[in-house]
Amino acid sequence: MKIGKKLIPIILIAIVASCAFAKTGGTEPPQLSTSKNQSSMFVNDEGINPVVKVVRDVRESVVQIKVEAKVNVPAITNPFFDDPLFKYFFPEIPREMQRKITSMGSGFIYEFNPQTREAYIMTNNHVVEKGKEGTITVTLADKINYTAEVVGLDPSTDVAVIKIKVKEGEKVTIAPLGDSSKLEIGEWAIAIGNPFGDVGLDRTVTLGVISAIGRSNLNFGTNSPIYQDYIQTDAAINPGNSGGPLLNINGEVIGINSAITSTSGGNIGIGFAIPINLAKRVVEDLVATGKVTRAYIGILPQEITADLMEAFDLSEVSGVLVAKVEKDSPADKAGIQVGDVIIEFNGEKVPNVSKFRIAVATSKPGVQVPVKVIRNKDTLTLHITLDVYPEDKLASTEKSTKADTNAGITVVSIDSPYARQNNIKADRGVVVSAVAPDTPAARAGIQPGYIILKVGNTEVNSPEEYNAAMENAIKTMKEKSSNTIVLYVQDRSKNEQFVVLRFNS
């Protein structure tokens, strides 16, 4: 590509921190002085730099995470090669191959049970998701290694919990959790993590500020979480920092470092962390049940613009406009109407669609919450009893009825509430709304939000067509004594590709 007057696009990349080589040369950034002549803003009442105190108190709670696994990848991606005639003449050509992967990341101990000696560690889903098929090794500050167990994974927020059982006498440092709702832009931010894997830069400390809050609609490729409310910081974050803590000046965790914006793959001063308040709600469910149960009200929310503010005679560009209400949904039963502008949900102000979705999703199903709306210039308070998000109902139904025969995929139509709520747009195919763990789909890397275009050579444009095509493909697979089915899919970055599902023989 010619670089004339064109701008080089900034690429958003998730830090799936593979082991990489680091360049350690170059000029070191200036460090805050701890001499007696330094400015008083950098010392506390005891004459200690507060950043130094935070590091002393919290640094040893940060762990290094190493994931080693073997994954099946297609050796060939053309479905023609699965034709029985081709297999007859070329039986020696491998259809699939195993590849060993090693990834590195960070995490932090947030809870410890001295009776059971179990230490619970927060990290990113994308750091440890392959650990279920392999081994997760956690290294503490004293270089002692432990094999970790996955407690729960949540790709929708990119939050995960793992745990280790430490030996008697092992020192365990716990990182205290803060309150990310109280963050102010411009506050100090301290990041601790393990950049660039095994090169010996463990527990690196970087300092910056909170650059922005509430960042959403960011595209990190196939690792893009559905629910986004990122803290932006200029504290240096590099590959390998994923899962490490972002701390305030009081030494409290305010976020989980997760991703960067970069033109080169390294830090340029734009990093993102998951707010700890969002993570707390997810972690609570992961520890209790291994999965997250989300709430649902059944509306299609629309962003308020300056024109809509004027048209609806609103006082500010804030809130969400109700563009559609699903029949018999919690919102419908509570009296929410198309054209209502929701300005408060459960006592909290609703600034935009992203915040609204997270507020609903992180609420508890079965609870009745007040919702304040503006309708025809009047302000009303309605009460909605939250239901379980449909993807959970569908997933549990699918698991109980078809888990022994199907691929582990639950699909919905492209015009379904799930697709609209998650801003998934397509003109063909079906949308993956849930993937059951330890199934052919999970092992192949299929994720919620993917669009399935074909099962084998059969196009599918409705859940009914998908189910029929999958049923037929499984029947044909058994008749031919095969154990693979090829899907043609579109991932969340809109890249189309063939994916091979391998069923147990």
Side-chain angles (χ1 to χ4, degrees):
M1 183 182 76
K2 294 182 179 179
I3 308 177
K5 297 182 179 179
K6 294 183 178 179
L7 294 175
I8 300 175
I10 291 180
I11 304 169
L12 286 169
I13 60 171
I15 311 176
V16 185
S18 305
C19 184
F21 292 103
K23 296 180 180 178
T24 56
T27 305
E28 288 288 328
Q31 301 296 311
L32 293 177
S33 170
T34 57
S35 70
K36 294 181 180 179
N37 295 325
Q38 66 184 324
S39 169
S40 61
M41 70 178 290
F42 293 129
V43 295
N44 58 21
D45 293 339
E46 299 172 349
I48 301 174
N49 183 324
V51 177
V52 173
K53 187 176 187 310
V54 169
V55 174
R56 287 177 183 173
D57 292 343
V58 182
R59 186 170 181 260
E60 292 191 356
S61 71
V62 179
V63 304
Q64 186 173 65
I65 298 173
K66 183 176 183 178
V67 176
E68 297 173 290
K70 289 182 179 180
V71 296
N72 291 324
V73 296
I76 47 178
T77 57
N78 192 327
F80 169 75
F81 294 147
D82 276 332
D83 185 273
L85 187 63
F86 185 88
K87 288 181 178 180
Y88 179 80
F89 286 106
F90 302 98
E92 73 285 355
I93 294 181
R95 301 298 184 269
E96 203 169 46
M97 59 185 292
Q98 276 201 331
R99 186 181 70 186
K100 183 179 179 180
I101 62 164
T102 301
S103 61
M104 305 290 294
S106 306
F108 57 94
I109 299 171
Y110 73 94
E111 188 175 307
F112 176 64
N113 186 326
Q115 280 75 43
T116 63
R117 305 297 296 171
E118 290 180 325
Y120 286 80
I121 298 165
M122 265 193 232
T123 184
N124 287 137
N125 172 77
H126 74 257
V127 170
V128 296
E129 61 183 339
K130 297 300 183 184
K132 282 204 166 185
E133 292 88 38
T135 303
I136 304 173
T137 302
V138 168
T139 305
L140 302 188
D142 59 4
K143 307 300 182 183
I144 301 296
N145 294 332
Y146 291 95
T147 299
E149 173 188 340
V150 173
V151 176
L153 306 170
D154 185 42
S156 295
T157 56
D158 197 23
V159 173
V161 178
I162 60 176
K163 68 178 181 180
I164 57 175
K165 189 166 185 176
V166 302
K167 62 184 180 181
E168 290 289 340
E170 175 75 69
K171 178 185 175 183
V172 177
T173 302
I174 299 171
L177 305 184
D179 183 354
S180 54
S181 69
K182 297 179 179 179
L183 287 179
E184 297 279 352
I185 296 171
E187 283 186 38
W188 291 111
I190 304 164
I192 307 179
N194 308 294
F196 300 108
D198 274 336
V199 298
L201 304 178
D202 55 298
R203 293 166 191 83
T204 293
V205 179
T206 56
L207 177 67
V209 298
I210 302 298
S211 306
I213 55 177
R215 295 298 197 200
S216 59
N217 300 316
L218 304 177
N219 183 6
F220 304 121
T222 56
N223 292 295
S224 299
I226 293 171
Y227 299 104
Q228 299 185 10
D229 188 31
Y230 285 110
I231 301 164
Q232 181 183 328
T233 181
D234 66 348
I237 298 173
N238 285 290
N241 279 89
S242 273
L246 187 69
L247 304 148
N248 61 20
I249 202 67
N250 299 316
E252 300 167 327
V253 180
I254 52 174
I256 305 174
N257 297 321
S258 301
I260 60 173
T261 294
S262 179
T263 54
S264 62
N267 173 67
I268 61 169
I270 303 176
F272 301 99
I274 302 164
I276 198 63
N277 287 15
L278 175 57
K280 285 178 189 175
R281 168 66 179 87
V282 171
V283 165
E284 181 184 351
D285 273 6
L286 292 180
V287 172
T289 65
K291 69 183 186 72
V292 182
T293 301
R294 294 187 164 88
Y296 154 82
I297 65 171
I299 70 163
L300 177 62
Q302 183 178 337
E303 209 75 70
I304 298 291
T305 64
D307 289 339
L308 287 172
M309 179 189 75
E310 183 178 346
F312 283 82
D313 198 22
L314 304 174
S315 60
E316 57 182 336
V317 182
S318 184
V320 296
L321 177 63
V322 179
K324 185 175 181 179
V325 179
E326 298 294 328
K327 187 176 180 182
D328 295 326
S329 66
D332 185 31
K333 294 172 183 176
I336 297 286
Q337 297 179 9
V338 172
D340 285 351
V341 176
I342 299 175
I343 57 174
E344 281 187 17
F345 180 85
N346 200 20
E348 297 291 331
K349 188 174 180 180
V350 174
N352 52 45
V353 170
S354 178
K355 289 277 191 180
F356 173 73
R357 283 176 173 158
I358 290 174
V360 174
T362 55
S363 299
K364 291 285 188 181
V367 175
Q368 187 180 76
V369 299
V371 179
K372 188 177 289 187
V373 304
I374 296 175
R375 180 185 298 167
N376 299 324
K377 300 181 182 180
D378 294 327
T379 301
L380 309 173
T381 298
L382 305 173
H383 291 83
I384 299 180
T385 301
L386 303 175
D387 200 353
V388 177
Y389 196 70
E391 64 178 297
D392 296 310
K393 292 181 177 179
L394 288 169
S396 62
T397 302
E398 191 74 17
K399 185 174 181 181
S400 63
T401 58
K402 294 186 177 182
D404 59 333
T405 59
N406 77 355
I409 301 172
T410 302
V411 300
V412 294
S413 63
I414 56 176
D415 61 351
S416 64
Y418 175 86
R420 290 195 296 272
Q421 186 167 3
N422 292 291
N423 198 30
I424 299 171
K425 297 177 181 178
D427 55 7
R428 60 195 177 105
V430 291
V431 179
V432 177
S433 63
V435 177
D438 196 28
T439 58
R443 292 190 289 270
I446 299 290
Q447 298 181 14
Y450 275 34
I451 297 168
I452 298 176
L453 304 171
K454 292 182 181 180
V455 176
N457 292 318
T458 305
E459 292 186 0
V460 291
N461 291 300
S462 70
E464 292 76 19
E465 288 182 2
Y466 167 81
N467 290 331
M470 183 59 74
E471 207 169 296
N472 185 58
I474 290 173
K475 180 181 177 183
T476 303
M477 176 184 70
K478 291 178 178 178
E479 290 173 351
K480 295 178 178 179
S481 299
S482 175
N483 62 350
T484 61
I485 293 174
V486 176
L487 301 184
Y488 190 53
V489 306
Q490 182 184 95
D491 65 25
R492 281 149 58 175
S493 295
K494 299 193 180 300
N495 297 315
E496 295 184 1
Q497 58 187 300
F498 291 99
V499 175
V500 177
L501 304 183
R502 177 170 290 278
F503 292 73
N504 294 327
S505 302

